[in-house]
Structures are given as structure tokens and as C-alpha cells.
Amino acid sequence: MAELINKTLPQIFLDRVAKCGDQVALREKDFGIWQRITWDQYLNHVKHFALGLVTLGFQRGNHLAIISENCKEWLYADLACISLGGVTLGVYPTSPYPEVKYVVNHSDSVFIVCEDQEQTDKILEVIDDLPLLKKIIVKDMKGLRKYPKDRIVSFKEVEELGRQLSKKSPSLYLEEVNKGNSEDICIMIYTSGTTGPPKGAMVTHQNIEATAWASADAMEVSQKDTVVSYLPLCHVAEQIFSLYLPLFVGNTVNFAESIATIQEDLREIAPTVFLGVPRIWEKLHSSITIKIQDSSRLKRMFFDRCMSIGYKVANLRLDKKKISLGLKLSWWVGYWLIFRALQNYVGLRKVRICLSAAAKVSPEELLFFHATGILVKEGYGMTECTGLSFIHMGNDIKLGTVGKPISCIEYKLAPDGELMKKGPSIFKGYYKNPEATARTIINDWLMTEDIATVDKDGHVSIVDRKKDILITSGGKNIAPSLIENELKVSPYIKEAIVLGDGKKFVSALIQIDFENVGKWASNSQIAYTTFKSLSLIPQVITLIQEAVDTVNAKFSRVENIRKFLLLTKELDHDDDEMTATMKVRRATIYKKFAKEIESIYST
């Protein structure tokens, strides 16, 4: 690993501006037109917002929360706060107000940046329970004319206050940046809270620098690359691509209009670097499958033939075996017939570095994209190690594994298989929670609570979360996520929760993909009205049984799903069934669907 230069993030930011001042740093669509922001303009916004905060009473060490979709103002506020020696933290914009209240209150935030009226309302709903909060800064003031002006100020007003202070004290911003120390806490990232209240992970400037350099080296990211920012900036994975890497290597960040329009945005942006969580890959695969099913018989025949060739080439490439000239030529014919159009359809024809991370993904899912020429690599990391720690590097790709450690990470396996990590990217600890910190960092080793294995080539595989491993009444250990990910390969299954701890056999609760199953039902002339009515139709149950049978064939008999039940409602973050990052809260599911689970095992 390269020696750290021990600078703070704002100091690195100033170095980047000095090198690339008039070059494009950010792009954001406004009224259908892509607006460009240069590094010089980026700095001006950050400086003026920072000085505006000073005018409002922001002090070194204060905490600032941000609740907004990804946008340039998110980054301005983030860097501005850090420039003043403050600590920023993100709140998921999809969070209901009780969750927002918990994070803002627990973090002791004195300022909060809200995107719009919707997010502002969440804060005002609980404002009396946030005694430390001084100001709500709002990006979009539409609909807020009659709101209390003593509590609310617009983002533009804060920047204007900063401009006025900058004229009076032109060197103040630089003086504040120079006070920073690389060992200071830079950001707090709240964990998704699958097993309890979210914990605030404290990340230092040194942690970020170690991760940024090692990640850039492992993925070979350069200044010429472009990324699309669409995953929540509250999450450390998105911060790596939208904040850390751009400051350290100078690549351009493009803001998608929304997560709902990501596929259309990808086609316009055509990024060279792309991070997708498993749900994104599942969604892209599903949309292709459904589109092909609706096409002509001739197109389906061409697709099946080309995919057959694609799978052969992909498997040979992954096995590092020679691909014959004839097979190469056949693949290129398939490229011009099918694959190029598919790559354009998902917006990834120009992608150079393609990554799946943040949760386990089915190898079969990734193999599909490899067959089309989109070489997706898998990565693994944690909030507590500032994001990325393992990845497939170069052409050393082995599906089903998360690759090898990046240069800032040292690792070993505990006797029970738990993955342990050490290095300069390991976080400082949990905010106001020394007990959890002591359980998580033992003798400088980060206890990940992930069970892992290492193959003969040094590739690491994450089996499952330690707490999620099922032990049947027969004593068989089963990793539910392996089965769940295979089930979600089906375009008709959106979520699956595998059950069987202490039971005689394995079962599952399954949530159908309403859009895809609804389309299938319509094409089959099957009438339905709601999600519940669709889930109860016998033909739909048969459709899902076929998908379950396909998955069962891939596993040993003891791991086979003997029974399943279709959920009659969609799992929802607002109902506490999913985290903000769309991970299933198993404990909540077991409790809320106790009767349904009991019915599976009672007959």
C-alpha cells in the first residue's frame, strides 16, 4: 500500500481544484438539460456554504445532518461542514419521521439540510424532541412560504451569507481548512439497523484516504472515468464513488434524476464506472427477460442462440481457458445481433469497471451479464472499514467469491469461520456506544460477524451473516442468503426469506414481483385487482413453484424448500420490514408473520 499523505478531505479537495480548476467535476440534469459544474465552481459553492454556516453559528466539532436525494448540494454541504472541522452524516430520504428523529437526535446534529417540503415536514414533526437543532436549511423552498422563518433558511440564503463573509474575510475558509487534522472524525455513517437501532460509525480522514487510494488502485479508476451517482449518499459505498474517488483521482460525477429513472439515466450518461447493488442487477436482468419474452419468435430464437454462445465464452474466460477463434467470431456476431443492443438498453456499453456490492448476489445473475460482455465484478466491504475491502482485481474474476483484499486490508478467519479485518481503513468506533465498539474491535481486529471461506487461489467467499445461519432440527447448517439469491434470479420473485431454524425442513416466505407477475397474468388472460389478489391466484402459485423447483435442483436435498407461502403484501420500509437500504429485517418478519410461518410448519 502507498504511504498515506495524512491530509484531510478538504485539503485533498483544494489540491484537486488546483490541478483541475476549469475541468468538469459534476453534472446534473436541470429541466432536461445537463448542467456542468467545474472544480472551481464546486469550490466556490463549498466555500460560500461553509462561511454561511459560520455566520449562522456553526462551530468546530458540530454535527450536520443531510436528508436528501443525491444532488450537488449534498456534496456542497458535506464538504462545507467538514471544512469547518464539523462532522456530517446522512439520513435516508425514504426514512419515516421516527427513524429520522432517532438519527438526528442520536447524532447531536445542530444543523440539518433538507431537500424539500417533504423532508422538512419530517423534522418539524419531531422538532420539539431535537433540542440541539438550531436551523433547518432547505434546498427547494417550494411550499414553505408560510413555514416558521426563525427555524428555516434556504440553501441559497446560506450561500449568500457566505459570500458576504468571504468579502470581509477572504482568507477565513482556507484558515479553517488548514486547522484540520487527518486523525479527526470526518463523517458518521449510520448502519442500516437490521438487528436494532442504527449505530453511528465514526470515520476519520485517514480511514477515507486509505480506502480511496487502495480502491482507486484495485479498480484502476482514473481522472478520465465518469460515474453515475444514484445510490443513497448516506451509504458508504456511494460516498466512495461520488465523493472520495473524485477528490483523490479527479473522475466526473453525474447525478441521476432518481433511482426510478436509473435505467434511462444510464443510457444518457453511459458511465465508464458503475456500482450496482444486487437489486439493480436483478432488476436489469428481469427487464431484459420480460422484454425478450414480449418480442417476436425470431428475436427470441436469436437471443437464445446468442446467449448460449455468450455463456460458453463467459465460462471459458472465467475458467481462464483458451477461447477458440470460431467461438470468438460467433460471440462477435452475437454482439452485433443482440449484445450491443442489450448493453445500450441497460446503459452500460461504455462501462470499463462494473461492480456489484453492498449485499450478496447470485453468481448466476452475474454470469448472465458476463455472457453479454458486461464483466461485472463482485466486491465486499462494510461501513466499519470505510467501504470496500475485497474485490475482483483485473481479470482475476471468480463468481461466487468477493475476490481478494485491497492493499489497505489485512484479514484472517476466526476458528468459527468469522472474517476478521485489520488496517488503516478500520473505523474509530460507534458514536456514544463504547460497548458495541468493544464488541466489534478486539485487539485492533474488526469482527465482521460474516462467516467466510477462502479457496486455494486466495479468493474469499462470504457464506452468510453469522446470526442468520439456520440450524435445522437435524443439525444441518444452512446459509439462507445463498438460496434466497438464487430464488431472486427469477423475474417473478422480488424477495425471499428462507426459514428453517430448529425445524425439520426448509421453507420460505416469498414476495412476488408485482409488475412482472402482473404482466404475466395479463398475457395469460388471468384477472386480478390488487397485489393480494394476484398473490392468491393458483396459477401464480404454480408459476412460483416452478421457480422454486429450479432452485431446489441446485442444492442438496436437505437445503430444498419443501413449502413456501406467498406474502399478500409488499415488504415496506415504512412498516419496519425493510431497512433504508432495502435489506430484510428478519426479526421483524419472524414476528409480523408468525402466524403464516406457524401455518407452514403446522401441517
Side-chain angles (χ1 to χ4, degrees):
M1 178 184 167
E3 188 175 344
L4 300 181
I5 58 176
N6 291 323
K7 285 190 175 184
T8 67
L9 211 57
Q11 288 163 5
I12 295 290
F13 176 49
L14 291 178
D15 290 345
R16 176 55 52 195
V17 174
K19 291 177 185 174
C20 308
D22 60 350
Q23 296 176 26
V24 176
L26 311 171
R27 292 171 75 240
E28 187 177 58
K29 187 179 278 189
D30 187 23
F31 294 107
I33 300 171
W34 285 100
Q35 306 292 336
R36 299 181 177 188
I37 297 96
T38 66
W39 285 100
D40 283 334
Q41 292 169 330
Y42 194 172
L43 173 59
N44 281 332
H45 283 289
V46 170
K47 178 173 70 174
H48 293 149
F49 193 80
L51 296 179
L53 289 176
V54 171
T55 305
L56 293 173
F58 191 91
Q59 297 178 1
R60 187 162 290 271
N62 280 172
H63 293 180
L64 177 142
I66 305 171
I67 179 165
S68 170
E69 299 287 352
N70 296 16
C71 60
K72 58 186 187 298
E73 287 82 4
W74 211 111
L75 299 184
Y76 297 162
D78 190 13
L79 279 170
C81 169
I82 298 168
S83 297
L84 301 174
V87 177
T88 50
L89 57 120
V91 185
Y92 288 96
T94 54
S95 296
Y97 75 85
E99 206 168 288
V100 172
K101 170 192 164 185
Y102 175 82
V103 173
V104 177
N105 185 53
H106 181 270
S107 65
D108 298 323
S109 295
V110 296
F111 288 84
I112 186 164
V113 176
C114 294
E115 180 178 11
D116 52 20
Q117 183 182 16
E118 178 189 355
Q119 305 302 344
T120 304
D121 285 341
K122 292 178 185 178
I123 299 300
L124 292 176
E125 184 82 23
V126 296
I127 194 73
D128 293 336
D129 298 318
L130 303 173
L132 296 180
L133 195 64
K134 294 179 180 178
K135 284 287 183 184
I136 303 169
I137 302 168
V138 184
K139 173 196 164 190
D140 181 0
M141 293 289 287
K142 186 177 180 181
L144 300 178
R145 183 180 299 174
K146 295 182 180 180
Y147 279 52
K149 296 207 175 352
D150 60 322
R151 292 189 180 275
I152 297 171
V153 59
S154 76
F155 200 97
K156 289 182 179 178
E157 284 179 83
V158 177
E159 285 194 311
E160 184 54 39
L161 290 172
R163 283 189 194 93
Q164 293 171 15
L165 183 55
S166 180
K167 290 175 183 176
K168 295 176 184 176
S169 305
S171 62
L172 181 57
Y173 175 75
L174 186 58
E175 289 169 8
E176 290 295 328
V177 170
N178 287 336
K179 289 178 186 176
N181 187 294
S182 63
E183 295 181 2
D184 293 342
I185 304 299
C186 176
I187 57 171
M188 277 205 298
I189 298 177
Y190 275 77
T191 60
S192 55
T194 53
T195 56
K199 298 189 288 289
M202 299 182 290
V203 176
T204 69
H205 294 273
Q206 279 186 348
N207 295 153
I208 291 171
E209 185 189 347
T211 298
W213 287 130
S215 299
D217 182 56
M219 293 187 286
E220 300 176 336
V221 179
S222 76
Q223 188 178 334
K224 296 178 181 178
D225 284 311
T226 59
V227 301
V228 56
S229 179
Y230 72 103
L231 296 172
L233 271 164
C234 312
H235 198 285
V236 68
E238 186 58 60
Q239 290 214 9
I240 289 175
F241 287 86
S242 293
L243 182 61
Y244 310 160
L245 288 177
L247 298 193
F248 282 84
V249 303
N251 56 286
T252 305
V253 178
N254 301 274
F255 290 103
E257 286 191 89
S258 72
I259 189 73
T261 62
I262 182 59
Q263 201 164 338
E264 293 79 7
D265 292 333
L266 279 172
R267 291 184 199 126
E268 285 191 43
I269 296 165
T272 60
V273 177
F274 180 71
L275 167 67
V277 294
R279 187 61 194 146
I280 292 294
W281 297 114
E282 290 158 9
K283 193 174 178 66
L284 292 176
H285 184 186
S286 172
S287 68
I288 291 170
T289 302
I290 297 299
K291 193 173 180 68
I292 291 298
Q293 287 177 357
D294 289 342
S295 62
S296 67
R297 185 177 176 182
L298 183 62
K299 279 188 178 179
R300 291 199 302 272
M301 184 185 72
F302 274 127
F303 176 80
D304 291 341
R305 178 59 182 154
C306 290
M307 285 304 299
S308 175
I309 294 167
Y311 278 121
K312 287 179 184 177
V313 170
N315 282 316
L316 288 170
R317 186 192 296 116
L318 290 166
D319 291 338
K320 297 178 177 59
K321 293 180 179 178
K322 186 177 179 180
I323 303 169
S324 68
L325 179 60
L327 195 54
K328 283 181 183 178
L329 290 173
S330 296
W331 189 90
W332 278 105
V333 170
Y335 173 80
W336 290 106
L337 284 174
I338 295 291
F339 299 148
R340 180 185 170 90
L342 288 182
Q343 291 175 11
N344 280 328
Y345 173 70
V346 297
L348 296 176
R349 190 166 68 83
K350 293 183 180 179
V351 77
R352 193 175 61 80
I353 303 159
C354 211
L355 184 64
S356 177
K360 284 179 68 65
V361 65
S362 167
E364 186 177 330
E365 199 77 67
L366 299 189
L367 184 61
F368 171 84
F369 289 98
H370 276 256
T372 68
I374 301 172
L375 309 185
V376 189
K377 300 177 179 181
E378 191 168 357
Y380 162 80
M382 297 171 64
T383 300
E384 291 83 353
C385 63
T386 324
L388 189 67
S389 52
F390 289 80
I391 190 176
H392 296 134
M393 300 182 204
N395 294 321
D396 190 17
I397 303 172
K398 186 173 283 189
L399 300 186
T401 78
V402 294
K404 298 177 180 179
I406 61 177
S407 58
C408 65
I409 287 291
E410 180 184 344
Y411 80 96
K412 65 180 181 180
L413 299 184
D416 64 353
E418 181 177 358
L419 179 64
M420 303 165 64
K421 294 187 282 191
K422 183 196 282 189
S425 64
I426 303 302
F427 80 139
K428 200 83 171 178
Y430 296 115
Y431 187 60
K432 298 194 300 191
N433 198 339
E435 296 83 7
T437 301
R439 291 194 302 269
T440 304
I441 302 177
I442 301 175
N443 297 326
D444 295 330
W445 285 96
L446 175 69
M447 310 302 292
T448 66
E449 296 189 2
D450 286 321
I451 300 297
T453 59
V454 185
D455 68 15
K456 59 182 178 61
D457 298 317
H459 283 261
V460 172
S461 297
I462 306 300
V463 178
D464 213 327
R465 296 292 286 168
K466 193 174 179 177
K467 64 182 182 297
D468 291 340
I469 297 291
L470 305 177
I471 304 176
T472 65
S473 59
K476 173 67 178 176
N477 282 23
I478 292 171
S481 66
L482 296 177
I483 305 170
E484 290 163 355
N485 289 330
E486 288 296 333
L487 286 168
K488 289 189 286 185
V489 170
S490 166
Y492 304 119
I493 296 176
K494 188 170 184 178
E495 288 296 342
I497 301 100
V498 169
L499 313 166
D501 197 37
K503 305 296 184 181
K504 291 183 179 180
F505 60 87
V506 175
S507 65
L509 296 175
I510 293 176
Q511 176 190 323
I512 61 171
D513 187 300
F514 186 49
E515 182 181 350
N516 292 342
V517 174
K519 197 168 187 177
W520 173 86
S522 297
N523 291 341
S524 303
Q525 297 184 325
I526 299 171
Y528 69 95
T529 53
T530 62
F531 183 92
K532 181 176 181 177
S533 72
L534 184 62
S535 300
L536 294 173
I537 294 171
Q539 295 96 317
V540 170
I541 297 172
T542 301
L543 177 72
I544 301 303
Q545 182 67 63
E546 290 171 1
V548 170
D549 291 342
T550 299
V551 171
N552 280 344
K554 299 177 182 179
F555 291 90
S556 65
R557 180 168 174 76
V558 74
E559 295 171 299
N560 280 189
I561 295 170
R562 307 282 183 87
K563 291 184 180 180
F564 67 87
L565 189 69
L566 295 188
L567 296 174
T568 54
K569 74 175 289 291
E570 296 191 81
L571 300 181
D572 199 311
H573 180 203
D574 286 349
D575 293 335
D576 202 36
E577 296 154 348
M578 308 283 286
T579 68
T581 53
M582 303 313 289
K583 294 176 183 173
V584 171
R585 285 194 165 116
R586 290 182 187 273
T588 303
I589 298 299
Y590 297 156
K591 185 177 180 181
K592 291 188 78 167
F593 296 96
K595 289 184 179 179
E596 288 83 352
I597 294 170
E598 185 182 350
S599 71
I600 292 175
Y601 288 101
S602 64
T603 56

